[in-house]
Amino acid sequence: MTTTAGDEEVLLRPAPFLASIMQIEPQWIDYNGHLNMAYYNVMFDRAIDQLWLQIGIGPGYMKERQGSTFTAECHVRYLREVHLGDPVQVSVLLVGADEKRLHTFEELRHASEGWLSATSENMTIHVDMSTRKTAPFPPDIRARIESLANAHSKLPRPVGLGRKVAMPAR
C-alpha cells in the first residue's frame, strides 16, 4: 500500500488536513478575468488526492488492491473570486464515514491572506474496480479512516455544511 511519510500523525491530528499550496494556472482564467468554476473542482480534487495518499487509498491502492473511490455527489459554493497569481490552499474535513462512504467538506482559501474563496461538500464511495461496484473498505483502510474521522469529530462543523441549493425565502 502506498502512503506518504508522516501519515499516521496526519490521521490522528484534530485539525483539518491541509493540502499543499497551489497556484492558479493561466489557462484556468476565464473571459471574466477570474478562475473558471471548473478549476475550483480541479484544486479540490488535487487536495483530496493528497489526503487519500495519507489514508492509503491513492493510485498505488488501485493498482495493488483494485480499489478506488468515485465521487457520488458534490456541492460547490463560490464565495469570493480568485485570480491569476493568487496562492491558494485547500483544507479537508472528514465529516463522516461508514464502511463504503466518505463525507468530506473542503475549503479553498487564499494561502497568504486567509480569506475563504469556495467550499465543496462531497460524498465519495469506495469501489471494487474488478466489479466496478461499491464495496466495503478493507479492514486496515477502514481503521485508518476511523482514526481520521475520530480526530475530525472533535472539530466544529463548518458553516455551509449540509446546505442545499434553493431560492431564498421571501
Side-chain angles (χ1 to χ4, degrees), residues 1 4-7 11 18 21 31 44 53 68-70 74 84 89 93 99 101-102 117 125 128 132 149 153 161 168:
M1 170 179 15
T4 59
D7 56 343
L11 300 179
L18 287 177
I21 293 174
Y31 58 84
F44 286 129
L53 282 173
S68 192
T69 59
F70 292 1
C74 177
L84 186 61
Q89 187 171 36
L93 178 72
E99 67 278 351
R101 295 175 297 187
L102 302 169
S117 173
I125 56 173
D128 177 334
R132 297 191 78 84
S153 73
L161 179 66

Side-chain angles (χ1 to χ4, degrees), residues 2-94:
T2 306
T3 57
T4 59
D7 56 343
E8 292 303 322
E9 185 258 332
V10 166
L11 300 179
L12 299 174
R13 188 177 345 153
F17 172 78
L18 287 177
S20 302
I21 293 174
M22 296 176 253
Q23 295 293 319
I24 306 304
E25 298 182 19
Q27 65 273 22
W28 296 355
I29 301 300
D30 65 17
Y31 58 84
N32 294 313
H34 62 197
L35 183 64
N36 179 276
M37 64 181 277
Y39 295 101
Y40 284 86
N41 284 309
V42 169
M43 291 186 292
F44 286 129
D45 195 49
R46 287 180 177 176
I48 286 292
D49 284 347
Q50 289 181 27
L51 177 56
W52 281 189
L53 282 173
Q54 298 292 323
I55 293 172
I57 55 175
Y61 174 72
M62 204 289 287
K63 185 182 267 185
E64 296 163 19
R65 298 174 73 178
Q66 289 70 52
S68 192
T69 59
F70 292 1
T71 300
E73 187 172 345
C74 177
H75 180 196
V76 178
R77 293 185 310 142
Y78 306 96
L79 305 170
R80 184 170 171 183
E81 298 174 302
V82 289
H83 300 92
L84 186 61
D86 286 340
V88 295
Q89 187 171 36
V90 174
S91 64
V92 182
L93 178 72
L94 182 60

Side-chain angles (χ1 to χ4, degrees), residues 105-131:
F105 191 88
E106 295 94 51
E107 293 183 339
L108 178 96
R109 292 185 176 274
H110 191 281
S112 58
E113 297 175 11
W115 46 263
L116 183 61
S117 173
T119 67
S120 182
E121 184 172 359
N122 298 273
M123 185 62 68
T124 304
I125 56 173
H126 181 253
V127 175
D128 177 334
M129 294 300 286
S130 63
T131 62

